[in-house]
Amino acid sequence: MKLTDKQQDILDELRKIGRENAYRYRGVTPCLHQNDCEKLARGDQACVFGLGGLTYQVGGRLNINPGAVLSAFKALQRKGLVLCEESYPDYQRARYWWPTGLAAELSTELLPAGEVAP
């Protein structure tokens, strides 16, 4: 699938944020890390809220205007590459974003073989 350089950078940064968030409490606060691993086992949609990246967070890391990041996220969503938070349907914009397929990738890294999500 063809992506612009900006879209690819934003998607890559979102993947980094998701990975960092999934590993955040490992070895420091095991119960919080276990909660995050349970989200990974349930799949991408379960990971969006809490483990996903925020529009302004991605923009700040890449020095891109949050409005441009939001526009790129919407384009990536139409291509099926990211999911947005849907916990608050009346909220004007999605707050968290998550790369499609990252939960399965991280679950193979963080969960015992018997607990990997399908």
Side-chain angles (χ1 to χ4, degrees), residues 30-52:
C31 68
L32 292 177
H33 180 68
Q34 182 59 35
N35 289 343
D36 291 343
C37 287
E38 289 169 6
K39 288 182 180 182
L40 293 171
R42 290 194 312 266
D44 290 326
Q45 194 62 52
C47 295
V48 178
F49 184 78
L51 290 179

Side-chain angles (χ1 to χ4, degrees), residues 11 15 19 40 43-45 47 80-83 98-108 118:
L11 183 59
R15 290 179 61 80
R19 181 175 298 282
L40 293 171
D44 290 326
Q45 194 62 52
C47 295
L81 297 174
V82 298
L83 302 170
W98 181 262
T100 304
L102 185 58
E105 181 182 320
L106 289 173
S107 67
T108 60

